[in-house]
Amino acid sequence: MNSTSEKVLEILLNTDGIVSGKVIGETLSISRVAVNKQIAKLKEQGINIESRKKGYILLDKDILSQVSLSKKLENNGLNFTLFIKEVDSTNNEAKKLMASQEGNFIIVAPIQCRGRGRNSRQFVSNIGGAYMTLCYIPKNIQIMDSLKLVLVTGLAVAEVLSELTEGVQIKWPNDVYIKGKKICGILLESVLNETTVSKLILGIGINVNNELSDEIKDIATSLKLEGVEIDRESIIVKVMSKLWEMLNEYERSGFKKFEKQYCDNCISIGKNVTVNTPDGIVQGKGIGISETGYLLVENEKGINEIIVGDVGL
Ligand code: BTN
């Protein structure tokens, strides 16, 4: 994984402006010709490096690299991070890998040709967005509690985005919106034992610097459109670190600690909502969430517990 070209890329990433071939060569104990070869390899991968008289300059720093992601994400509980250049879906890759790999790991991809959303919907995953999946082995999570993990995941993303811009909210259960437009979708899949969750596959897609197609421009947004200048690696590292911290906290102390924060940030709570459920439309006021993470909607019939459903804005 720790290839020479990735080490060259790391030097370019850590340099403001031009770095000479001599400096790169001396740092990595390789010849100038070898440096040139590695630069050519990086350019072939689509990395925007310009060769100038005095050396090389990385023109676009929004780069995802295996070395840098691994260094920033791996800790005692997180076994490894895998950056894959071409995937159908990071959740699919995580599931394949889970069969042969022990422990917790992350898959990151720059693009997904078959990104999946909830209810078998497509999740458009073009270049510039952040697509990641955490494969997490919970210590002791009952099946009936798994929805709360979905809520915690949405909250983790919302917290990170709130540090960067205003107007961030969660739509129950875990879509993240900015000023009424969707910026992030989360897809949770799980492997169950008889009563507990043995593995969780938590897939997160965030619009960062990707272009949005005309069909979704009115209902979706990106960090770039919100005026936030940030690279995908920073977002991935921030989100995964926050999620890791919050999942561990959840396992120690349960959801109670997050409940107020979740409800305060949830667009579906405290106002009238229309929810499309498998059993029909439910209308009423979103008043909170139940012990198990269901959305509570109150109307003339009483309090309805929504287990699955699409909440209209
Ligand atoms: C939704 O909006 O319905 C959920 C979208 C989830 C998208 C993420 S991107 C990373 C991971 N891989 C997928 O195929 N889907 C999730």
Coordinates of all heavy atoms in Angstrom, one line a residue, residues 88-92 112 114-119 121 123 125 130-133 175 182 184-187 203-206, ligand 1:
D88 N -18.5 -0.6 -7.3 CA -19.9 -0.4 -7.6 C -20.5 0.4 -6.4 O -21.2 1.4 -6.6 CB -20.6 -1.7 -7.9 CG -20.4 -2.8 -6.8 OD1 -19.6 -2.5 -5.9 OD2 -21.1 -3.8 -6.9
S89 N -20.2 -0.1 -5.2 CA -20.7 0.5 -4.0 C -19.8 0.2 -2.8 O -19.4 -1.0 -2.7 CB -22.2 0.0 -3.7 OG -22.4 -0.1 -2.4
T90 N -19.5 1.1 -2.0 CA -18.6 0.9 -0.9 C -19.2 -0.1 0.1 O -18.6 -0.9 0.8 CB -18.1 2.1 -0.2 OG1 -19.3 2.9 0.2 CG2 -17.2 3.0 -1.0
N91 N -20.6 -0.1 0.2 CA -21.3 -1.0 1.1 C -21.1 -2.5 0.5 O -20.8 -3.4 1.3 CB -22.8 -0.7 1.2 CG -23.1 0.3 2.3 OD1 -22.2 1.1 2.6 ND2 -24.2 0.2 2.9
N92 N -21.2 -2.6 -0.8 CA -21.0 -4.0 -1.4 C -19.6 -4.5 -1.1 O -19.4 -5.6 -0.8 CB -21.2 -3.9 -2.9 CG -22.7 -3.7 -3.2 OD1 -23.5 -3.6 -2.3 ND2 -23.0 -3.5 -4.5
Q112 N -18.7 5.9 -7.2 CA -19.4 4.6 -7.2 C -20.2 4.5 -8.4 O -21.0 5.4 -8.8 CB -20.3 4.5 -6.0 CG -19.7 4.7 -4.6 CD -20.6 4.5 -3.5 OE1 -20.6 3.6 -2.8 NE2 -21.6 5.5 -3.3
R114 N -22.5 2.1 -8.9 CA -23.8 1.7 -8.5 C -24.1 2.1 -7.0 O -24.4 1.2 -6.2 CB -24.0 0.2 -8.7 CG -24.4 -0.1 -10.1 CD -25.1 -1.4 -10.3 NE -25.0 -1.7 -11.7 CZ -24.0 -2.4 -12.2 NH1 -23.0 -2.8 -11.5 NH2 -23.9 -2.7 -13.5
G115 N -23.9 3.3 -6.7 CA -24.2 3.7 -5.3 C -25.6 3.4 -5.0 O -26.5 3.7 -5.8
R116 N -25.8 2.9 -3.8 CA -27.2 2.5 -3.4 C -27.7 3.4 -2.3 O -27.0 3.8 -1.4 CB -27.2 1.0 -2.9 CG -26.9 0.1 -4.0 CD -27.1 -1.4 -3.6 NE -26.1 -1.8 -2.6 CZ -26.3 -2.1 -1.4 NH1 -27.5 -2.0 -0.9 NH2 -25.3 -2.5 -0.6
G117 N -29.0 3.7 -2.4 CA -29.7 4.4 -1.3 C -30.7 3.5 -0.6 O -30.8 2.3 -0.9
R118 N -31.5 4.1 0.3 CA -32.5 3.3 1.0 C -33.6 2.9 0.0 O -33.8 3.6 -1.0 CB -33.1 4.1 2.2 CG -32.1 4.1 3.3 CD -32.7 4.7 4.6 NE -33.0 6.1 4.4 CZ -34.2 6.7 4.7 NH1 -35.1 5.9 5.3 NH2 -34.4 7.9 4.5
N119 N -34.3 1.9 0.3 CA -35.5 1.4 -0.5 C -35.0 1.1 -1.9 O -35.7 1.5 -2.9 CB -36.6 2.4 -0.5 CG -37.1 2.8 0.9 OD1 -37.1 1.9 1.8 ND2 -37.4 4.0 1.2
R121 N -33.1 2.6 -3.9 CA -33.0 3.7 -4.8 C -31.5 3.9 -5.1 O -30.6 3.4 -4.4 CB -33.5 5.0 -4.1 CG -35.0 5.1 -4.0 CD -35.4 6.5 -3.6 NE -35.3 6.6 -2.2 CZ -36.3 6.8 -1.3 NH1 -37.5 6.9 -1.8 NH2 -36.1 7.0 -0.1
F123 N -28.1 6.0 -5.6 CA -27.5 7.2 -5.0 C -26.4 7.6 -5.9 O -25.4 7.0 -6.1 CB -26.9 6.8 -3.6 CG -26.4 8.0 -2.9 CD1 -27.2 8.9 -2.2 CD2 -25.0 8.3 -2.9 CE1 -26.8 10.0 -1.5 CE2 -24.5 9.4 -2.2 CZ -25.4 10.2 -1.5
S125 N -23.3 9.0 -7.4 CA -22.0 9.1 -6.7 C -20.9 9.5 -7.7 O -20.0 8.7 -8.0 CB -21.7 7.8 -6.0 OG -22.8 7.2 -5.4
A130 N -18.0 12.5 -1.2 CA -17.3 11.6 -0.3 C -18.1 10.4 0.0 O -19.3 10.5 0.4 CB -17.0 12.3 1.0
Y131 N -17.6 9.2 -0.4 CA -18.4 7.9 -0.3 C -17.6 7.0 0.6 O -16.4 6.7 0.3 CB -18.6 7.3 -1.7 CG -19.1 8.4 -2.7 CD1 -18.2 8.9 -3.7 CD2 -20.3 9.0 -2.5 CE1 -18.6 9.9 -4.6 CE2 -20.7 10.0 -3.4 CZ -19.9 10.4 -4.4 OH -20.3 11.4 -5.2
M132 N -18.2 6.6 1.7 CA -17.4 5.8 2.7 C -18.3 4.8 3.4 O -19.5 5.1 3.5 CB -16.8 6.7 3.7 CG -17.8 7.5 4.5 SD -17.1 9.0 5.2 CE -17.9 10.3 4.2
T133 N -17.8 3.7 3.8 CA -18.5 2.7 4.6 C -17.7 2.3 5.7 O -16.5 1.9 5.6 CB -18.9 1.5 3.7 OG1 -19.7 1.9 2.7 CG2 -19.6 0.4 4.5
D175 N -31.2 11.3 7.1 CA -30.7 12.1 6.0 C -30.3 13.4 6.6 O -30.9 14.0 7.5 CB -31.9 12.4 5.0 CG -32.2 11.2 4.2 OD1 -31.3 10.4 4.0 OD2 -33.3 11.1 3.7
K182 N -31.0 18.3 0.6 CA -30.3 17.1 1.1 C -28.8 17.2 0.7 O -28.5 17.4 -0.4 CB -30.9 15.8 0.5 CG -30.2 14.5 1.0 CD -31.1 13.3 0.7 CE -30.3 12.0 0.8 NZ -31.2 10.9 0.7
C184 N -26.6 14.7 2.5 CA -26.0 13.4 2.9 C -27.0 12.4 3.0 O -28.1 12.6 3.6 CB -25.2 13.6 4.2 SG -24.8 12.1 5.0
G185 N -26.7 11.2 2.5 CA -27.6 10.0 2.7 C -26.8 8.9 3.4 O -25.6 8.8 3.3
I186 N -27.5 8.2 4.2 CA -26.9 7.1 5.0 C -27.6 5.8 4.8 O -28.8 5.8 4.8 CB -26.9 7.5 6.5 CG1 -26.0 8.7 6.7 CG2 -26.3 6.3 7.4 CD1 -26.1 9.4 8.0
L187 N -26.9 4.7 4.5 CA -27.5 3.4 4.3 C -26.9 2.4 5.3 O -25.7 2.2 5.2 CB -27.2 3.0 2.9 CG -27.8 1.6 2.5 CD1 -29.3 1.6 2.5 CD2 -27.3 1.2 1.1
G203 N -23.0 3.0 5.5 CA -22.5 3.7 4.3 C -23.0 5.1 4.4 O -24.2 5.4 4.6
I204 N -22.1 6.0 4.1 CA -22.4 7.4 4.1 C -21.9 8.1 2.8 O -20.8 7.9 2.4 CB -21.6 8.1 5.3 CG1 -21.9 7.4 6.6 CG2 -21.9 9.6 5.4 CD1 -21.1 7.9 7.8
G205 N -22.8 8.9 2.2 CA -22.4 9.6 1.0 C -22.7 11.1 1.2 O -23.8 11.5 1.6
I206 N -21.7 11.9 1.0 CA -21.8 13.4 1.2 C -21.5 14.1 0.0 O -20.4 13.9 -0.6 CB -20.9 13.9 2.4 CG1 -21.2 13.0 3.7 CG2 -21.1 15.4 2.7 CD1 -20.3 13.3 4.8
Ligands
BTN1 C1 -30.0 7.4 0.9 O1 -30.0 8.6 0.7 O2 -31.1 6.8 0.7 C2 -28.8 6.7 1.4 C3 -27.6 6.9 0.5 C4 -26.4 6.2 1.0 C5 -25.2 6.4 0.1 C6 -24.0 5.8 0.7 S1 -22.6 6.3 -0.3 C7 -21.6 5.1 0.5 C8 -22.4 3.9 0.6 N1 -22.4 3.1 -0.5 C9 -23.6 3.0 -1.1 O3 -23.8 2.3 -2.2 N2 -24.5 3.7 -0.5 C10 -23.9 4.3 0.7

